[in-house]
Amino acid sequence: MAIEITPEVAMQLLDFNQKFDIALLDNVIQQFYNGFGQQQQVAQQVLTQLKEHPDSWTKVDAILAYSGNLQSKYFALQLLEDVIKTRWKALPKEQSDGIKKFIVGLVIKHSTNSATSESEKTYCAKLDMILVQIVKHEWPHNWPTFISEIVGASKTSESLCQNNMIVLKLLSEEVFDFSSGQMTQAKAKHLKDTMCGEFSEIFQLCSFVMEHSQSISLVGATLETLLRFLNWIPLGYIFETKLISTLTLKFLNVPTFRNVTLKCLTEIAAVNVAQDQYTAELCGAFSSLLLQLKQMLPLTTNIKEAYKSGQDDEQNFIQNLALFLTTFLTQHGQLLERTSEMRDALLEALHYLVLISDVDEKEIFKICLEYWNNLAANLYQENPFSTSSPLMLSAQAVPPRRQMYLHVLSKVRLIMISHMVKPEEVLVVENDQGEVVREFMKDTYAITMYKSMRETLVYLTHLDYADTEELMTQKLYRQVDNSEWSWKNLNTLCWAIGSISGAMHEEDEKRFLVTVIKELLGLCEMKRGKDNKAIVASNIMYIVGQYPRFLRAHWKFLKTVVNKLFEFMHETHDGVQDMACDTFIKIAQKCKRHFVMMQPNENLPFIEEILNGISAIICDLQPHQVHTFYEAVGYMISAQMDQVVQERLVEKYMQLPNQIWENIIAKASQDVNELQNPETIKQLGHILKTNVRACSSTGHPFVTQLGKIYLDMLNVYKCLSENISQAIALHGDLVVKQPLIASMRVVKRETLKLISCWVNNSQDPVMIKEHFLPPLLEAILLDYKQNVPSAREPEVLSTVTSIIDKAHASQSVPHVLDTLFECTLEMINKDLEEFPEHRINFFKMLQSINKYCFDALLLLSAPQFKLFLDSIIWGFKHTMRNVAEIGLHVLLDLLHNIETSTVAQSFYQSYLIDLTEHMFSVITDSSHAGNLTQHATILAYVMSVIATGKVAAPLYNTSDPANTGMTNDAYVQHYMANLLKQAFPHLQDAQIKVTIVGLFQLYDDIPAFKNHLRDFLVEIKEHAGGDSTSLYLVERELQIQ
């Protein structure tokens, strides 16, 4: 149990004038890990200060020698690692040599004793990592014999050899896998070249261990190390030695080693070789592996069941086997196809892959799916069908390469059909305002998988549509005869049938679809129980919704389907109404023209029938379903080309919501308190949501409806704003969370969404500017400015942005900035997190003003323009990445606009140097590392306008005699050198010079400019010493010339 330590006692650790108290450190560390509350805070504070002390690393040897606490030792190694990473070059030679010998000694001591290394694995792993950090600094210049030393030492003891393998593995990872951003390009290239050049000694050691060692742990460590080498070593070591045969014949069939061996063989399979290079070796390796595999896992094995009952190790083997087969066949499949004696091996490998594809494990299926997708696409694109109907292709016409895969692809089709995932997940959820809404799950694993599986199955259908039809029909018959009946089986089959829409010739598709629907209708009649009937019905609706080409060609069937959907809209069984609304909107989008046309043997276009009976159709629907219905009908109305007819349809379409709206407005005109009635507010929200969805699909023609309710809607907006403001004045900010106030805010938001929606769809910017903008700005701008921050709607900013995007309303920009700019800035400039929606919408508004109304910005006073620019700078300094990205986009757009304007030179004189300094502040801030490409683009642009002389006005003080004969690029280079020297005093003049020269020479090559910046970011982390900084400066200078 930890002894409680007072802050005064703990602080003694920071007094380096007295003897360092190891026992006290042990107690503080124990208190940090096992204590709580104040005790833990004291311990954390002391340990943090100790870490930051520049001389703390000098106590490491004492801690490691005398502490009995492993956590203390680990802490000591962290201190040492930090010094090695950041200040190694700045240490005197004798100190760095001393640390190197000390660490090497510790590694040898702990590695030689196999018992110690097992019990202190974390400690030993940290030691190894520190040794690798030292090697990265010292090898090859100051430690040229490192590789030969580590290889030689490995021959003295198996446990030391095992640890040295781990060190070599870590070194390989650091140099080849993780060097980007951790070391300069020149240094990384040099280490890679050196490691390749000295690899023969390492390879001989690995080969010796694999051939002679009896130690399971050593051989395992060697194979793991070899695995890291295989993606970069010269090809001769792989194909011109016994490596492949050793892996295949000696280790693949040994359970302990089979997974790591298979990973090694997968890396070998992934290696890029020239087309005719090492063909015999590759074929021999593949044949040899398959022979071993057939002994371990006979072709008759039920891999699906074996996986289900297998241990972790056995399941991993199946996954690794999938990776090997897909990698080898992707890289070298055509080699196996061309080599006649390898055809059987190819077909056996494909058979294994088919068996593995049937395993119920997402990751394994994903691996196999990627291969089948590539194969099917490749086979199809090689010989796309050119005949009018696939039926005209006889078996002899099938291309030879495709013929080879026919049998396998039939099995793959069956797997795709049986495993098809759900196309789109729709959830009904309650949002923050307590409203029930439908939420479409986007970008989920299932959606991604569905897209990939659909694409694969479409290609497979193109390759042999008759086989696809036969397989699907047979599976459907087995649903009908009950031999395979289950909800899951029916769903996957119907999702698969729906996914291949358009992949067959139209006549074949018609015949197939008629069969499917007939069988499903029969199944629906036959099944008992509402649940079973609902499942079959929903699948029928899903399939017909997927085949718009068929629906468009068969009006009577289309009308029957839609009328059936209207029936389903009254069915209260779980999910049926949602399914009916979903299918209705899908059909409305894809067949919209057919609903407004006069069809044969009809008295009216079908849209008229729908509008005549709209109240009866939607009477049993939930509000969110009504919104979907209205959106669907809006798509139909948008297809009517006759403007007069269209306006009449819109009027009839919105008649029902308008009646309720007019009643509410009439009551509110008599008594304004009606707008404080919770039920009235709820109805207003529902009506406005209906209008928003209707507008989104109808588009610009919705203007007739919007004009009808526009002024009343803005009056309601103002009235509700006053109600909210009064409530806040009486009860404080928290009142905005109360249900009535939350509902009022919903009405305000939906009002703004409706206006934004129509503006985005409008084709008449003049109408927006002249008729809609003046009353809108009057209603929303002052209200926004006068409201308390928590009651300001972020949609005000997005609505203004939409108007600027569409109408380019430059004349309104000064008024917009006057009312929205400063009050929003005050909300978001206190910190980087509060009011996230306002933040994003605010910077999007600035982006829009800059893009479409730049001329209005030029009319701002100097203080206003500076505030605008400061806001952009504040934007790109955000740690919220989406906000920072918008800020950077705005800045780059602004710079491009300025370049061609009349104020370019005065802008450059006033702001260019400042902007450069701000850019360097974010570039060197690690929390902004993700935006380096945008940073590089902007800084390169600034360098280019200076270097190419586009900045004609002097950026320096012309009255200063010291600047006589000065040029802008010379001044900026001198200024930047001073700036970097002050910010990073540990950098040497030569390093700063190379950095700045590179910036002025690479500005027209963004990737090179970005890599140059990344090298600079690596250098600022390290304190450079006098003897080592020149090692890679020469290479860097050559790179930028």
Side-chain angles (χ1 to χ4, degrees):
M1 184 178 168
I3 303 163
E4 187 174 346
I5 300 164
T6 63
E8 294 74 24
V9 173
M11 287 296 176
Q12 291 174 18
L13 286 175
L14 302 174
D15 184 358
F16 278 42
N17 294 320
Q18 60 183 31
K19 187 181 176 186
F20 193 73
D21 191 336
I22 306 289
L24 177 59
L25 175 69
D26 286 348
N27 280 331
V28 170
I29 284 179
Q30 204 171 348
Q31 186 167 292
F32 174 71
Y33 281 105
N34 303 328
F36 53 87
Q38 186 65 29
Q39 290 181 23
Q40 197 174 45
Q41 286 176 13
V42 169
Q44 183 177 17
Q45 185 184 354
V46 171
L47 293 175
T48 302
Q49 289 182 5
L50 191 56
K51 265 188 176 180
E52 291 169 354
H53 197 292
D55 295 326
S56 59
W57 67 272
T58 59
K59 309 300 178 187
V60 168
D61 55 345
I63 299 169
L64 295 179
Y66 300 112
S67 172
N69 184 339
L70 263 179
Q71 288 165 334
S72 297
K73 291 183 176 184
Y74 196 82
F75 176 75
L77 292 180
Q78 285 179 316
L79 297 178
L80 192 57
E81 185 177 35
D82 189 52
V83 170
I84 293 166
K85 279 184 174 179
T86 59
R87 289 193 288 144
W88 182 260
K89 293 175 187 173
L91 294 176
K93 183 88 168 67
E94 60 275 11
Q95 283 188 344
S96 58
D97 282 349
I99 293 172
K100 183 171 83 175
K101 285 175 186 169
F102 175 67
I103 291 296
V104 170
L106 276 178
V107 169
I108 291 171
K109 176 185 168 187
H110 285 278
S111 307
T112 312
N113 182 342
S114 56
T116 308
S117 46
E118 280 302 316
S119 62
E120 300 180 358
K121 270 187 174 175
T122 309
Y123 176 63
C124 288
K126 195 68 178 174
L127 276 175
D128 289 339
M129 196 66 238
I130 287 174
L131 177 58
V132 169
Q133 296 298 338
I134 293 172
V135 170
K136 279 162 63 181
H137 286 297
E138 295 290 284
W139 173 70
H141 293 100
N142 298 329
W143 197 355
T145 57
F146 167 70
I147 295 292
S148 53
E149 282 179 26
I150 199 168
V151 169
S154 300
K155 295 173 182 174
T156 61
S157 146
E158 284 203 331
S159 58
L160 180 58
C161 181
Q162 184 176 329
N163 192 71
N164 286 351
M165 286 294 177
I166 294 167
V167 171
L168 289 169
K169 179 181 78 170
L170 290 171
L171 182 60
S172 173
E173 288 172 343
E174 288 289 304
V175 172
F176 287 91
D177 301 332
F178 310 134
S179 59
S180 178
Q182 300 300 316
M183 54 179 93
T184 62
Q185 299 168 84
K187 181 177 179 179
K189 183 180 184 303
H190 188 70
L191 291 186
K192 287 174 184 177
D193 291 346
T194 307
M195 202 155 183
C196 286
E198 298 186 22
F199 185 70
S200 61
E201 288 188 76
I202 301 172
F203 186 77
Q204 286 167 15
L205 175 65
C206 293
S207 301
F208 182 83
V209 170
M210 289 192 293
E211 282 183 33
H212 299 103
S213 176
Q214 300 301 310
S215 165
I216 291 173
S217 58
L218 173 56
V219 172
T222 304
L223 290 169
E224 289 286 355
T225 302
L226 188 64
L227 176 61
R228 298 305 186 281
F229 294 157
L230 287 168
N231 64 358
W232 58 263
I233 62 175
L235 295 181
Y237 288 110
I238 296 173
F239 296 109
E240 295 169 23
T241 64
K242 294 190 293 182
L243 176 62
I244 295 176
S245 60
T246 303
L247 289 171
T248 310
L249 302 176
K250 186 169 183 180
F251 297 117
L252 184 60
N253 57 5
V254 180
T256 311
F257 303 130
R258 65 184 171 195
N259 275 311
V260 66
T261 303
L262 202 46
K263 284 180 184 176
C264 288
L265 291 166
T266 303
E267 282 293 336
I268 291 171
V271 166
N272 284 318
V273 294
Q275 189 171 355
D276 297 319
Q277 194 181 15
Y278 299 122
T279 53
E281 288 81 359
L282 285 165
C283 290
F286 193 67
S287 298
S288 178
L289 182 137
L290 275 180
L291 280 173
Q292 294 291 316
L293 188 57
K294 283 187 282 188
Q295 292 173 20
M296 299 156 60
L297 198 69
L299 281 163
T300 53
T301 309
N302 184 335
I303 293 181
K304 182 177 182 177
E305 291 304 316
Y307 183 89
K308 201 182 289 184
S309 59
Q311 303 295 316
D312 285 354
D313 194 54
E314 293 163 329
Q315 292 185 340
N316 288 339
F317 179 73
I318 300 297
Q319 182 161 335
N320 289 329
L321 179 58
L323 279 167
F324 170 77
L325 290 172
T326 53
T327 304
F328 195 96
L329 294 175
T330 301
Q331 290 287 100
H332 312 293
Q334 294 202 9
L335 166 65
L336 301 180
E337 292 170 17
R338 290 195 309 270
T339 314
S340 54
E341 58 269 25
M342 293 303 296
R343 297 270 172 81
D344 289 344
L346 171 62
L347 293 175
E348 285 173 352
L350 290 166
H351 181 72
Y352 272 119
L353 206 49
V354 167
L355 293 175
I356 294 169
S357 300
D358 206 27
V359 168
D360 289 323
E361 166 55 43
K362 286 179 182 177
E363 284 308 309
I364 291 177
F365 185 74
K366 198 172 163 186
I367 292 163
C368 299
L369 175 62
E370 188 179 351
Y371 172 73
W372 296 128
N373 182 284
N374 289 335
L375 176 67
N378 188 262
L379 287 170
Y380 174 71
Q381 287 157 7
E382 204 174 70
N383 291 93
F385 286 125
S386 55
T387 53
S388 59
S389 168
L391 284 172
M392 294 174 68
L393 276 180
S394 64
Q396 286 72 35
V398 176
R401 185 166 176 241
R402 196 178 291 179
Q403 188 80 44
M404 194 190 310
Y405 287 99
L406 276 182
H407 183 62
V408 171
L409 293 182
S410 182
K411 293 179 179 177
V412 176
R413 282 183 196 97
L414 192 57
I415 286 168
M416 292 297 140
I417 294 165
S418 307
H419 287 258
M420 184 58 73
V421 293
K422 194 167 187 175
E424 187 169 51
E425 192 69 54
V426 183
L427 297 180
V428 178
V429 296
E430 191 175 302
N431 68 11
D432 294 341
Q433 283 75 43
E435 303 162 301
V436 174
V437 293
R438 304 181 66 240
E439 199 175 85
F440 287 84
M441 300 299 288
K442 300 290 182 189
D443 299 325
T444 58
Y445 174 84
I447 298 293
T448 310
M449 283 295 283
Y450 173 74
K451 286 178 180 171
S452 189
M453 290 180 77
R454 180 185 63 192
E455 186 181 281
T456 307
L457 198 49
V458 166
Y459 278 129
L460 290 168
T461 304
H462 280 308
L463 292 173
D464 188 347
Y465 101 92
D467 186 55
T468 306
E469 182 182 343
E470 173 69 17
L471 290 169
M472 287 179 168
T473 310
Q474 288 304 316
K475 280 193 82 66
L476 183 57
Y477 290 151
R478 287 196 284 275
Q479 290 295 307
V480 175
D481 69 19
N482 234 24
S483 60
E484 284 186 9
W485 163 257
S486 76
W487 291 0
K488 179 177 180 292
N489 288 345
L490 182 66
N491 284 338
T492 52
L493 172 60
C494 292
W495 295 335
I497 291 170
S499 74
I500 60 165
S501 169
M504 293 182 185
H505 185 261
E506 192 167 354
E507 285 303 309
D508 301 322
E509 182 178 274
K510 175 185 172 182
R511 192 193 66 256
F512 172 59
L513 202 55
V514 167
T515 304
V516 168
I517 292 167
K518 192 175 97 182
E519 293 297 332
L520 285 173
L521 286 170
L523 186 63
C524 194
E525 288 296 316
M526 189 176 73
K527 285 294 168 191
R528 294 287 167 263
K530 270 201 163 186
D531 285 350
N532 287 334
K533 285 184 181 295
I535 289 289
V536 180
S538 69
N539 278 307
I540 293 171
M541 290 305 126
Y542 173 70
I543 287 172
V544 297
Q546 288 295 103
Y547 282 85
R549 182 169 66 175
F550 179 80
L551 295 174
R552 287 193 293 265
H554 301 86
W555 165 250
K556 283 203 174 300
F557 184 74
L558 171 57
K559 184 178 177 182
T560 305
V561 166
V562 173
N563 282 325
K564 194 70 183 170
L565 289 174
F566 293 161
E567 285 179 34
F568 282 139
M569 288 179 191
H570 302 289
E571 173 59 69
T572 53
H573 189 277
D574 187 36
V576 173
Q577 289 173 308
D578 277 329
M579 172 275 298
C581 292
D582 283 347
T583 309
F584 182 54
I585 196 168
K586 198 186 292 182
I587 291 172
Q589 284 173 309
K590 293 173 181 174
C591 308
K592 55 189 175 186
R593 206 165 45 83
H594 291 66
F595 291 96
V596 294
M597 289 165 54
M598 179 66 81
Q599 297 291 348
N601 305 319
E602 299 283 355
N603 298 322
L604 291 168
F606 193 50
I607 183 69
E608 300 281 3
E609 287 185 41
I610 294 173
L611 295 180
N612 287 338
I614 197 164
S615 57
I617 295 169
I618 66 172
C619 62
D620 290 324
L621 295 179
Q622 298 295 312
H624 69 272
Q625 293 161 344
V626 172
H627 304 153
T628 304
F629 181 89
Y630 266 84
E631 184 181 343
V633 176
Y635 286 118
M636 297 174 187
I637 294 173
S638 71
Q640 175 56 262
M641 295 294 105
D642 185 321
Q643 191 179 342
V644 175
V645 176
Q646 194 176 49
E647 285 178 11
R648 183 179 58 76
L649 288 174
V650 170
E651 187 177 347
K652 197 171 181 182
Y653 168 49
M654 298 308 294
Q655 197 172 350
L656 209 58
N658 282 351
Q659 284 171 2
I660 306 167
W661 173 267
E662 284 160 12
N663 287 339
I664 292 172
I665 297 299
K667 285 182 186 175
S669 303
Q670 301 294 319
D671 179 7
V672 78
N673 290 328
E674 180 67 23
L675 294 181
Q676 293 188 2
N677 180 336
E679 194 52 43
T680 302
I681 298 300
K682 202 170 179 182
Q683 277 187 312
L684 282 172
H686 175 39
I687 292 164
L688 286 169
K689 282 174 189 287
T690 304
N691 273 271
V692 170
R693 295 290 287 276
C695 179
S696 70
S697 54
T698 310
H700 179 80
F702 197 76
V703 65
T704 53
Q705 163 65 9
L706 186 61
K708 191 173 288 187
I709 64 170
Y710 192 64
L711 294 176
D712 285 337
M713 185 171 70
L714 293 181
N715 286 331
V716 168
Y717 184 97
K718 287 184 208 170
C719 189
L720 294 182
S721 280
E722 287 168 18
N723 291 347
I724 293 168
S725 298
Q726 286 169 11
I728 291 169
L730 286 171
H731 305 290
D733 283 5
L734 288 175
V735 79
V736 295
K737 296 187 184 296
Q738 288 182 3
L740 177 59
I741 302 299
S743 296
M744 288 181 178
R745 294 190 70 186
V746 167
V747 173
K748 287 181 68 180
R749 283 200 194 107
E750 293 302 324
T751 300
L752 294 165
K753 280 183 190 171
L754 177 56
I755 296 164
S756 284
C757 181
W758 181 76
V759 166
N760 289 332
N761 285 297
S762 175
Q763 294 139 15
D764 191 344
V766 175
M767 183 190 286
I768 297 171
K769 277 194 274 196
E770 292 182 1
H771 298 290
F772 284 88
L773 193 54
L776 174 69
L777 296 184
E778 184 196 336
I780 68 172
L781 295 190
L782 202 59
D783 165 67
Y784 182 93
K785 185 176 182 179
Q786 291 173 348
N787 248 323
V788 296
S790 56
R792 289 178 185 149
E793 307 303 339
E795 286 79 7
V796 169
L797 301 169
S798 55
T799 302
V800 169
T801 304
S802 296
I803 291 167
I804 291 168
D805 284 350
K806 202 77 180 184
H808 305 179
S810 294
Q811 78 282 2
S812 302
V813 168
H815 184 32
V816 165
L817 290 177
D818 187 48
T819 46
L820 301 185
F821 191 81
E822 287 192 46
C823 63
T824 308
L825 197 58
E826 283 168 12
M827 289 166 64
I828 64 173
N829 67 6
K830 307 282 190 299
D831 58 43
L832 294 165
E833 289 158 7
E834 220 178 347
F835 303 108
E837 278 187 86
H838 292 78
R839 259 170 226 282
I840 291 169
N841 290 352
F842 175 73
F843 288 108
K844 282 183 177 175
M845 183 180 77
L846 298 193
Q847 187 173 25
S848 186
I849 291 170
N850 175 53
K851 189 171 183 180
Y852 297 111
C853 303
F854 178 70
D855 53 335
L857 289 180
L858 299 182
L859 300 175
L860 295 178
S861 66
Q864 282 179 311
F865 185 83
K866 186 174 187 314
L867 190 60
F868 184 87
L869 189 61
D870 286 345
S871 302
I872 296 172
I873 293 166
W874 173 244
F876 68 66
K877 288 192 172 181
H878 270 68
T879 47
M880 285 170 66
R881 186 161 176 184
N882 48 356
V883 176
E885 283 178 355
I886 295 169
L888 292 166
H889 279 304
V890 179
L891 177 59
L892 189 58
D893 288 346
L894 181 70
L895 290 171
H896 283 302
N897 286 339
I898 289 288
E899 186 185 340
T900 55
S901 74
T902 54
V903 300
Q905 299 308 318
S906 60
F907 174 87
Y908 293 147
Q909 270 189 313
S910 303
Y911 304 115
L912 203 61
I913 294 290
D914 253 6
L915 279 174
T916 306
E917 192 169 331
H918 285 298
M919 283 311 303
F920 268 109
S921 78
V922 288
I923 288 168
T924 54
D925 180 347
S926 58
S927 62
H928 288 272
N931 289 325
L932 187 60
T933 302
Q934 283 176 285
H935 295 155
T937 305
I938 292 169
L939 193 58
Y941 177 82
V942 172
M943 297 297 106
S944 74
V945 294
I946 295 168
T948 55
K950 288 179 182 174
V951 183
L955 301 176
Y956 46 87
N957 182 358
T958 51
S959 60
D960 186 345
N963 290 331
T964 305
M966 180 67 74
T967 61
N968 277 334
D969 58 346
Y971 173 76
V972 172
Q973 289 193 37
H974 178 70
Y975 173 83
M976 283 166 56
N978 287 336
L979 177 72
L980 297 181
K981 191 67 183 170
Q982 286 170 21
F984 310 105
H986 61 279
L987 288 183
Q988 294 205 329
D989 292 345
Q991 289 174 294
I992 291 173
K993 183 185 173 188
V994 166
T995 297
I996 292 170
V997 168
L999 295 178
F1000 272 86
Q1001 289 186 356
L1002 299 172
Y1003 58 79
D1004 57 350
D1005 181 351
I1006 299 298
F1009 191 92
K1010 178 182 166 184
N1011 286 330
H1012 185 68
L1013 272 181
R1014 190 177 275 131
D1015 283 351
F1016 167 68
L1017 295 177
V1018 170
E1019 288 186 331
I1020 64 175
K1021 294 177 193 170
E1022 298 179 0
H1023 289 252
D1027 63 334
S1028 59
T1029 49
S1030 62
L1031 292 178
Y1032 300 107
L1033 277 179
V1034 175
E1035 286 95 328
R1036 287 197 66 198
E1037 284 170 348
L1038 288 171
Q1039 278 179 346
I1040 61 177
Q1041 280 173 7

